[in-house]
Amino acid sequence: MSDQQHKIPSLVGGFPTQADFAPSIIFAVAYGLSVIPFLIRFWNPNTRTYLLGIGTFAYAVERVVVWSIRAAQSHDHHLGETLSKGRLVYQQVSFALGFIGFGSDCVAFMRAAMVNTTLEDPKRGSVDKPRNRFWYRRAADLAGLLWLIASVPGAIGYSKMPGAAAHPEAADKLFRLRYVSSGAALFLFYFFLILLRYVRNRVEWLDRRAVDCTCAILCLASVVAIYRLSVIHNTTSVLNVLPSTPPLYPPGSLTTTASKATFYIFHALPELIIAWAIQSLNIRAIYNTGPWGDWQGTDDRGGIARLRQNGVYVDGVGVQGPVNWGPIGNWINKRREAKAAKSAGTDRPTASARTGSQVELTETV
């Protein structure tokens, strides 16, 4: 391959060398442990979800496989050897498309929250708004399809990766479509982030906590997209053949210590944090939904009854027993209650502090 005249898009994360062995093991174990909170939540009928967050659960399991493959390749790394092209391509496809799936989860989460604002509930004083509910659902359907703009170009581009070493046109198509995929993902993350911040204080009965949680996920996912856009301009002269003579790695191969450090910090770590958050938080409590979320397109066949957790969540009304928000959610709520108590000049958070966001929203609308 040394006589080829064209450049190949560099592997995001660089060649798997021995320096990748320990981080790969750490991330594989961390993803394996991240499914435990999800399974605990799934076992409890009060926190169980069948559709909401199931994509992140599958993503975490798949990440265990990806990091295990990377650990195996880095452990058996020898200069001058030819790495499995199929394994390299699989890793790159996973890194390129995996984080985009978080956007689809956010759409499903906010669909449940937005539809809940249209439901009649005497306890909170809301009336039924079927027309709004219809359009919220159609908007969510469209938002779910928009993520194809980011995922399809990436899938097509990386389908050309196996032939990129021998065919300049394949390498060029991969180079361009990587930019389209990551650029579209970043645009959509920020588009939905701005949209949610806009509706946060403008839609009656919309739980701000649900919006803030979704925005946090979108912000973290956008870090991955920004990182990718900053490094995918790099090219190298080899795809899967490790060099045996100096310089050990071609310039721009993203295999230096600094390149690998930024990969783990700005690509791998945000994805891990999001996976842990989605699987640890009590999604049903945060988005006030049932085990299926809002998966039906109409109100027929019990579509409304399945939406809510036995009623609209207003300071525990209609929720059986104390609400468990999960370890991360409980920590966030304690912080919020402490700040509310401090602002009120009291030593302990009061009931009004716990429902401050709901009461404040009611007064402002």
Side-chain angles (χ1 to χ4, degrees):
M1 299 295 179
S2 59
D3 58 343
Q4 62 187 23
Q5 300 299 316
H6 69 280
K7 292 294 184 179
I8 305 169
S10 298
L11 303 174
V12 175
F15 291 102
T17 65
Q18 292 179 354
D20 292 289
F21 180 71
S24 298
I25 291 295
I26 292 174
F27 276 98
V29 173
Y31 273 109
L33 294 176
S34 73
V35 305
I36 296 177
F38 178 89
L39 295 176
I40 294 175
R41 182 161 56 82
F42 189 83
W43 181 263
N44 186 343
N46 292 323
T47 59
R48 180 182 302 153
T49 56
Y50 294 103
L51 298 180
L52 296 179
I54 193 66
T56 300
F57 172 77
Y59 166 86
V61 174
E62 189 267 346
R63 271 297 189 263
V64 174
V65 177
V66 170
W67 289 111
S68 298
I69 292 175
R70 190 171 181 85
Q73 285 192 313
S74 61
H75 184 264
D76 298 331
H77 167 271
H78 299 289
L79 295 178
E81 73 171 318
T82 301
L83 299 176
S84 169
K85 187 180 296 185
R87 292 182 180 182
L88 287 177
V89 172
Y90 172 64
Q91 292 176 54
Q92 292 299 301
V93 172
S94 180
F95 292 149
L97 303 181
F99 74 101
I100 299 175
F102 294 132
S104 298
D105 277 345
C106 288
V107 170
F109 296 158
M110 285 309 303
R111 172 171 176 154
M114 293 296 294
V115 169
N116 261 313
T117 66
T118 69
L119 303 180
E120 179 181 3
D121 192 284
K123 296 175 183 178
R124 70 176 182 183
S126 60
V127 297
D128 185 47
K129 299 178 180 178
R131 183 174 180 82
N132 288 9
R133 185 162 55 249
F134 172 84
W135 287 112
Y136 286 159
R137 284 170 168 166
R138 301 294 79 76
D141 292 338
L142 177 60
L145 293 175
L146 286 178
W147 293 104
L148 294 175
I149 300 175
S151 59
V152 170
I156 296 175
Y158 278 98
S159 69
K160 306 296 181 181
M161 186 175 175
H167 304 286
E169 62 277 7
D172 181 66
K173 181 169 290 188
L174 171 60
F175 184 86
R176 289 184 284 107
L177 290 179
R178 288 203 305 181
Y179 268 108
V180 174
S181 177
S182 297
L186 181 62
F187 172 81
L188 290 174
F189 284 138
Y190 278 119
F191 172 77
F192 287 117
L193 181 63
I194 295 172
L195 181 62
L196 289 179
R197 299 306 297 180
Y198 176 79
V199 304
R200 182 177 183 270
N201 297 324
R202 291 173 171 82
V203 176
E204 189 178 16
W205 309 117
L206 179 60
D207 194 331
R208 296 179 182 178
R209 292 166 296 185
V211 177
D212 294 341
C213 183
T214 307
C215 288
I217 295 174
L218 292 173
C219 285
L220 275 174
S222 67
V223 173
V224 181
I226 293 173
Y227 165 78
R228 293 186 62 86
L229 287 172
S230 67
V231 301
I232 56 178
H233 67 277
N234 287 281
T235 59
T236 183
S237 58
V238 293
L239 177 63
N240 64 322
V241 180
L242 298 179
S244 57
T245 58
L248 294 181
Y249 295 101
S253 64
L254 300 178
T255 311
T256 63
T257 301
S259 296
K260 287 187 176 293
T262 55
F263 166 73
Y264 286 114
I265 294 174
F266 297 109
H267 197 306
L269 186 58
E271 292 178 325
L272 179 63
I273 294 174
I274 296 174
W276 265 95
I278 292 178
Q279 295 183 103
S280 299
L281 292 172
N282 187 345
I283 300 299
R284 283 178 61 172
I286 294 176
Y287 295 95
N288 184 31
T289 186
W292 294 95
D294 182 40
W295 60 278
Q296 292 182 310
T298 65
D299 295 341
D300 298 335
R301 298 184 180 181
I304 294 298
R306 295 189 177 191
L307 283 177
R308 296 181 286 177
Q309 200 168 251
N310 300 322
V312 173
Y313 181 75
V314 181
D315 193 25
V317 174
V319 181
Q320 297 177 349
V323 178
N324 180 14
W325 295 80
I328 299 178
N330 290 335
W331 178 81
I332 294 174
N333 278 338
K334 288 180 180 179
R335 298 266 300 181
R336 182 181 291 110
E337 290 177 356
K339 290 181 179 179
K342 184 177 180 180
S343 62
T346 60
D347 295 330
R348 296 179 57 190
T350 62
S352 61
R354 289 193 298 271
T355 60
S357 60
Q358 184 70 37
V359 174
E360 180 185 358
L361 178 59
T362 305
E363 294 176 349
T364 56
V365 174

